[in-house]
Amino acid sequence: MPRDAKALFEAAAAGHATARRGGGPALGGHRRLVAAVVALIDPGVVVLGGGVGQNQLVLLEVRRTVRELAWDTEVTVGGLGDRATLLGAAHVAVTRALDSMA
């Protein structure tokens, strides 16, 4: 199995069967987690972010798993790309700093 997400996606692009199925055990937990969230709170839409969430193979597999384990729910990708984590952390830091001054 590839050592990280980038290697996993490169293997999938090269035709590696397990990698093309969404990473097998490496991403299986992510797919099932999204399906569980859909089943529990019925969010209407799920937005995937970050470098992994932006990958089309991941998106397709998450959509398939959600349909199989819960029900058909819109699953899409956010517009922040692989900057989502950094921007989210910066937002939390700024918000906490502002809250502490109030």
Side-chain angles (χ1 to χ4, degrees), residues 24-39 61-62 65-66 68-70:
L27 293 175
H30 291 77
R31 297 188 317 255
R32 289 187 298 275
L33 175 63
V34 173
V37 168
V38 168
E61 286 300 311
V62 168
T65 302
V66 166
E68 286 178 2
L69 299 179

Side-chain angles (χ1 to χ4, degrees), residues 4-102:
D4 58 26
K6 182 178 179 187
L8 174 68
F9 298 142
E10 288 171 355
H16 189 277
T18 301
R20 288 199 59 81
R21 286 191 303 272
L27 293 175
H30 291 77
R31 297 188 317 255
R32 289 187 298 275
L33 175 63
V34 173
V37 168
V38 168
L40 288 171
I41 64 173
D42 190 15
V45 65
V46 175
V47 179
L48 302 178
V52 173
Q54 301 292 309
N55 185 278
Q56 289 301 304
L57 289 174
V58 172
L59 178 64
L60 294 174
E61 286 300 311
V62 168
R63 285 175 175 162
R64 183 186 61 75
T65 302
V66 166
R67 279 192 311 273
E68 286 178 2
L69 299 179
W71 44 84
D72 196 16
T73 298
E74 182 182 358
V75 180
T76 189
V77 295
L80 298 177
D82 58 1
R83 301 175 312 159
T85 302
L86 177 62
L87 292 173
H91 175 74
V92 168
V94 168
T95 299
R96 287 189 180 173
L98 293 172
D99 287 348
S100 72
M101 293 192 297

